Amino acid sequence: MTGELRSTYLASPEGRLHVHSAGEPGAPPVLLLSGAGVDNALLSWRHLIPVLAGGHHVLALDWPKQGRSRPWSGRVTHERMLRCVADVLDRFGLRSAALVGLSQGGALALATAIEHPGRVDRLVALAPAGILSFPPLVHQALWLTAKLPLLNSVLPTAMLGSRERIAGFARKALFAGPVRDFEDVIDEIEAEVREGGAGSSDWQNASIGPLRMRVDLRPRLREIVCPTLIIQGDKDVGVPPARARDAAALIPGGRFELLRGVGHWSNRQAPAQVNALVAGFLQPMDGADPLG
């Protein structure tokens, strides 16, 4: 698949934003948004890109400080991340596109549909962030972790300092069962850790306020007007399935799909299931209602 990809760099004062692309530029566009921390466009979407590229113009963004979007100076706020999405659409001359996002990318896809509804044709969010809240003591612990680089960057990088530790982390936090290409996944994670460390993202750290979440999209999910699908693994230890189901229910016409025996990184643990759901949902690009 890698040989079929094209690379585009968008210049900005902070650094170069990298975008993989595949498929015909005139085909219906879809922008893929990966997760936070140890992730990048190919890590998340390696199996989905070739499936979609046959009928879509596929764009896959390396968030700032991930993948090839390095080096990058300054903090990457929620607003800056939203601007990354708009910048990619503008660079490729797209008025709008379908968005597919995982975790942090799911939150940014939902937020884009809220803030810029005319730019999102369809939306798929996998285990989206931005829909969570925590009990007071847990929240305070998370806020403290987000504030201290020792806790959110130095220690996580040290903890993933070997291949064995990376594999243990992946089995516990990302997956909930066998992964066909598990060794390849660990190779890719190891390369990303070696390049950029294993800390939480600027967006993750900034999303947690001292008393409440700064990024909580739930009060505005009813504003989303495009067809929306939320995909959730039932064994996800990061995003409780009930929260994802409730979020889908807040979106007018929102659809929810629960994957049995699947963890947080469903697109790498169960790519065949996820690819089929995403491709099927994006297929009716002529205005037909995918919900019914």
Side-chain angles (χ1 to χ4, degrees):
M1 181 200 71
T2 305
E4 303 171 2
L5 292 175
R6 304 177 292 273
S7 281
T8 300
Y9 289 90
L10 286 65
S12 77
E14 303 99 327
R16 296 196 307 169
L17 191 67
H18 176 257
V19 184
H20 297 281
S21 61
E24 293 297 324
V30 54
L31 174 57
L32 309 180
L33 305 174
S34 55
V38 186
D39 199 2
N40 61 51
L42 287 188
L43 244 174
S44 270
W45 309 118
R46 179 171 299 280
H47 297 307
L48 181 60
I49 291 172
V51 170
L52 295 182
H56 296 81
H57 184 202
V58 183
L59 308 172
L61 166 65
D62 279 327
W63 289 119
K65 304 184 182 181
Q66 285 187 351
R68 299 183 191 176
S69 293
R70 296 188 181 102
W72 191 276
S73 62
R75 308 296 288 176
V76 190
T77 64
H78 179 72
E79 292 72 23
R80 185 65 182 92
M81 299 278 268
L82 286 174
R83 198 160 82 246
C84 287
V85 174
D87 287 347
V88 171
L89 297 182
D90 291 344
R91 171 62 178 79
F92 286 87
L94 301 173
R95 180 191 64 80
S96 62
L99 300 186
V100 180
L102 165 72
S103 195
Q104 171 184 271
L108 271 299
L110 292 168
T112 300
I114 291 168
E115 300 293 346
H116 308 287
R119 306 216 73 171
V120 185
D121 299 324
R122 297 175 184 276
L123 192 161
V124 182
L126 287 69
I131 60 168
L132 303 177
S133 58
F134 303 94
L137 291 179
V138 175
H139 183 96
Q140 292 297 317
L142 291 172
W143 177 73
L144 183 63
T145 299
K147 293 287 287 183
L148 299 177
L150 174 66
L151 298 180
N152 65 50
S153 180
V154 177
L155 288 181
T157 299
M159 290 172 63
L160 297 186
S162 70
R163 183 180 179 84
E164 292 73 20
R165 290 179 178 179
I166 291 172
F169 164 78
R171 291 190 179 98
K172 182 177 180 179
L174 302 178
F175 304 124
V179 178
R180 180 180 56 80
D181 59 345
F182 185 77
E183 295 303 322
D184 293 336
V185 173
I186 302 308
D187 287 342
E188 294 174 65
I189 294 176
E190 191 172 20
E192 182 71 15
V193 171
R194 190 164 53 246
E195 184 69 23
S200 50
S201 72
D202 292 348
W203 183 90
Q204 286 177 305
N205 294 335
S207 70
I208 305 172
L211 299 177
R212 62 184 60 86
M213 299 299 292
R214 289 195 181 101
V215 179
D216 186 350
L217 304 174
R218 290 173 295 179
R220 299 189 62 188
L221 290 177
R222 291 184 176 86
E223 299 176 33
I224 295 177
V225 296
C226 65
T228 300
L229 167 65
I230 292 181
I231 299 173
Q232 178 68 46
D234 72 334
K235 303 299 184 183
D236 192 334
V237 298
V239 178
R243 296 292 181 89
R245 185 188 298 275
D246 291 345
L250 291 172
I251 300 169
R255 174 178 159 189
F256 179 76
E257 290 285 346
L258 187 68
L259 303 181
R260 301 291 180 183
V262 174
H264 186 66
W265 217 351
S266 59
N267 40 329
R268 288 304 300 250
Q269 182 184 343
Q273 289 177 270
V274 170
N275 293 352
L277 285 169
V278 174
F281 190 75
L282 299 185
Q283 185 59 41
M285 301 298 289
D286 57 1
D289 182 0
L291 302 178

